[in-house]
Amino acid sequence: MVKTASNGIKELSMGIAVVILAAGKGTRMNSDLPKVLHPIAQVPMLAHAIKSAQATDPDHIVVVAGNGADAVRKATAEYAPDAQVVLQEEQLGTGHAVAQAKAVLGDYDGDILVLYGDTPFISDQTIANIATARANADLVVLGFHAADPGRYGRLVTDGDTLEKIVEYKDASEEERAITLCNSGVMAARAADMFDWIDATGNENASGEYYLTDCVEIARTRGKTTICVICDEAETLGVNSRAQLAEAEAAFQSRARAEAMENGVTLYAPDTVHFAYDTVIGRDTVVEQNVVFAPGVTVESGATIRAFSHLEGCHVARGGIIGPYARLRPGAELSEDVRIGNFVEIKNALIGEGSKVNHLSYVGDAEIGSGSNIGAGTITCNYDGVMKHKTTIGNDVFVGSNTLLVAPVTLGNKSMTATGAVITKDVQAEALAIARVDQVNKPRMAVKLFDILRKRKAKRNSETS
Ligand code: UD1
Ligand code: MG
């Protein structure tokens, strides 16, 4: 973030590399899944740290993996394809963990910002504050005032100077009384940080190489060390399932508050669940019990009615979705589209003002504008091996209970009769009827009832 210019004046530079520590075991989670892959807001915890990292526009993101490294590598590739993963085979401490990043950042001339994979809520503003503080100090540590300092490392300060960090286990009674604690986030020039880590030892209560020892080492080398303070809520770390639930609740209450501040109406905020990346426009109304999974954008003035589930989709202005609708990945809804109850839309483009109001499945499809898809319509997109596309033009009327056996195309202003099984393309303005003709048999109903009642009476007399 900063470099020292030849005239001695520190100036902002562009380079930052984020190192995310994610090798720890997370014993208290009591899980086969590595701790950093447990979900918060429907994505692995690690994805939150990655998102914070990405917000700094970094030259590098390096994830230090150890326990469950394969799974961590896979998740990293999903959320940050450009990130590199280094392996910390043995977890010998936070300093040792950062040292593993040397393999990637050994020659890097920018800053390292250290984040933890299990501390998902450090805000972009706080990271910006750290970057600003780096203009005035060689090492910046992020601290917070802890309501219950517990076993956090304590920040020993003298005025603006951070003198050292003492781990709880190594602290004196007097030091333990300090409530200013270490979040674990730290920034310094890469070369400096690696030098300081090289100088750390493991003669301490845990027998670990502490990253926190960098503070004292930097100071003995004449470097300036300071701390930046953030709200304790940002430093919430996850070590147990109970804390995972707390983190989820904290995320949700913040997301709800933000949505409302941004002009979104939530009828029952506590029942609406957001993903880490949900975007909702102004004057949209979200009714009760709605779930937003990852990748959802809803524009202004839409209504998401009760009990709907949305994932990987886009709802344009004025859309009315639900109640009880399911929008799956690739659902792309143009302005003023209506999707009603018990309708599932997947990988489908729905044109302006079109309606799919009742009990339908529309998958791998493209529907033009002004079309009406009748109740119970199904796009039969899957033949058991491959997926096929259904194309529906503008101003089409699809009769109730139509099966559209893809690949198939309905031309503009065409119509299908109720109960049709459409296997061939329908040209524009045509009506397609594809069902067995009706036959009415006079008095046959009476005869049939008679036969059935007699059969039942006989069966009853045999079993009594
Ligand atoms: C650390 C800090 C402490 C701080 C606290 C904040 C040190 C020595 N102590 O303590 O000052 O108050 O975090 O939560 O830094 N990790 C690795 N490899 C390792 C060890 C840890 O990747 O060898 C990762 C863990 O997965 C975790 C993070 O580093 O994400 C912190 O490790 P943890 O063992 O939880 O450190 P604390 O004892 O909590
Ligand atoms: Mg910890």
Side-chain angles (χ1 to χ4, degrees):
M1 280 174 277
V2 296
K3 67 182 177 211
T4 306
S6 52
N7 61 4
I9 297 167
K10 287 180 176 166
E11 59 183 34
L12 288 175
S13 84
M14 301 311 289
I16 179 165
V18 183
V19 176
I20 302 176
L21 305 191
K25 196 161 187 187
T27 312
R28 286 167 58 200
M29 294 301 286
N30 189 13
S31 173
D32 290 338
L33 191 66
K35 175 165 79 174
V36 292
L37 299 188
H38 281 265
I40 295 173
Q42 303 188 48
V43 288
M45 233 182 277
L46 178 64
H48 293 262
I50 285 174
K51 191 167 179 246
S52 302
Q54 285 163 337
T56 68
D57 191 18
D59 293 331
H60 302 271
I61 296 177
V62 182
V63 174
V64 181
N67 283 284
D70 287 345
V72 170
R73 187 171 275 124
K74 221 171 130 200
T76 302
E78 185 178 346
Y79 293 96
D82 295 339
Q84 283 147 298
V85 176
V86 295
L87 194 62
Q88 186 193 23
E89 300 228 25
E90 264 188 296
Q91 282 76 57
L92 302 179
T94 46
H96 180 257
V98 173
Q100 306 313 302
K102 247 194 234 177
V104 176
L105 303 174
D107 298 327
Y108 183 60
D109 67 357
D111 262 29
I112 283 182
L113 170 72
V114 178
L115 298 179
Y116 286 179
D118 62 357
T119 308
F121 298 142
I122 307 291
S123 70
D124 294 350
Q125 181 57 52
T126 292
I127 291 176
N129 294 345
I130 295 170
T132 307
R134 269 285 288 125
N136 303 311
D138 298 300
L139 171 62
V140 177
V141 168
L142 180 64
F144 63 101
H145 291 285
D148 172 14
R151 304 183 70 79
Y152 286 117
R154 305 298 206 264
L155 302 189
V156 180
T157 51
D158 181 12
D160 286 342
T161 300
L162 173 62
E163 291 201 317
K164 60 176 177 174
I165 305 178
V166 192
E167 288 307 297
Y168 175 82
K169 282 190 191 169
D170 304 289
S172 63
E173 277 312 308
E174 201 185 324
E175 287 163 339
R176 286 181 181 179
I178 297 171
T179 56
L180 182 59
C181 293
N182 175 28
S183 68
V185 178
M186 190 181 271
R189 259 191 67 206
D192 281 346
M193 200 180 285
F194 289 135
D195 276 353
W196 303 332
I197 291 170
D198 281 346
T200 60
N202 64 352
E203 300 84 36
N204 51 52
S206 304
E208 289 184 358
Y209 295 90
Y210 291 162
L211 182 62
T212 45
D213 282 352
C214 284
V215 178
E216 272 187 287
I217 294 166
R219 280 174 46 71
T220 60
R221 296 181 181 191
K223 303 285 185 177
T224 47
T225 55
I226 60 171
C227 75
V228 161
I229 295 176
C230 71
D231 196 280
E232 184 172 9
E234 293 185 35
T235 68
L236 180 71
V238 175
N239 296 300
S240 63
R241 306 266 182 170
Q243 284 172 343
L244 185 69
E246 271 173 44
E248 181 69 38
F251 176 90
Q252 294 302 338
S253 64
R254 207 168 35 237
R256 291 164 189 148
E258 267 172 30
M260 291 188 281
E261 269 162 39
N262 293 339
V264 178
T265 293
L266 304 180
Y267 281 1
D270 288 353
T271 70
V272 176
H273 293 258
F274 294 99
Y276 80 129
D277 59 352
T278 309
V279 178
I280 303 187
R282 209 161 155 258
D283 288 325
T284 280
V285 174
V286 181
E287 295 185 359
Q288 298 87 342
N289 295 295
V290 171
V291 175
F292 295 95
V296 176
T297 312
V298 178
E299 289 185 24
S300 305
T303 302
I304 313 297
R305 304 200 59 199
F307 297 100
S308 294
H309 189 283
L310 289 76
E311 177 176 12
C313 63
H314 170 233
V315 178
R317 274 167 188 277
I320 302 180
I321 310 303
Y324 299 99
R326 180 166 182 213
L327 301 184
R328 289 176 52 206
E332 172 65 46
L333 279 43
S334 311
E335 291 191 10
D336 301 319
V337 159
R338 283 182 176 231
I339 305 298
N341 44 275
F342 307 108
V343 171
E344 175 180 339
I345 310 282
K346 183 217 74 169
N347 186 32
L349 190 69
I350 314 257
E352 197 176 327
S354 285
K355 298 176 184 171
V356 191
N357 266 337
H358 329 269
L359 302 159
S360 291
Y361 170 66
V362 174
D364 302 315
E366 199 174 322
I367 300 177
S369 60
S371 287
N372 187 87
I373 310 301
T377 295
I378 307 282
T379 55
C380 309
N381 58 330
Y382 186 47
D383 58 17
V385 180
M386 285 179 294
K387 301 278 173 69
H388 303 280
K389 187 173 174 185
T390 300
T391 307
I392 299 175
N394 302 327
D395 304 311
V396 173
F397 180 88
V398 176
S400 295
N401 205 28
T402 294
L403 300 183
L404 298 161
V405 183
V408 72
T409 297
L410 306 186
N412 292 338
K413 297 185 179 167
S414 64
M415 202 184 247
T416 69
T418 294
V421 180
I422 302 294
T423 53
K424 290 183 247 165
D425 289 353
V426 180
Q427 65 270 45
E429 302 185 3
L431 164 67
I433 308 172
R435 61 184 186 208
V436 177
D437 276 347
Q438 183 169 330
V439 182
N440 287 353
K441 301 199 171 181
R443 284 197 49 78
M444 191 61 193
V446 176
K447 285 184 200 161
L448 202 57
F449 272 132
D450 196 41
I451 293 167
L452 293 173
R453 285 188 185 113
K454 281 183 181 145
R455 199 175 285 170
K456 187 176 177 190
K458 187 166 175 248
R459 204 170 285 168
N460 286 349
S461 70
E462 280 166 4
T463 55
S464 62

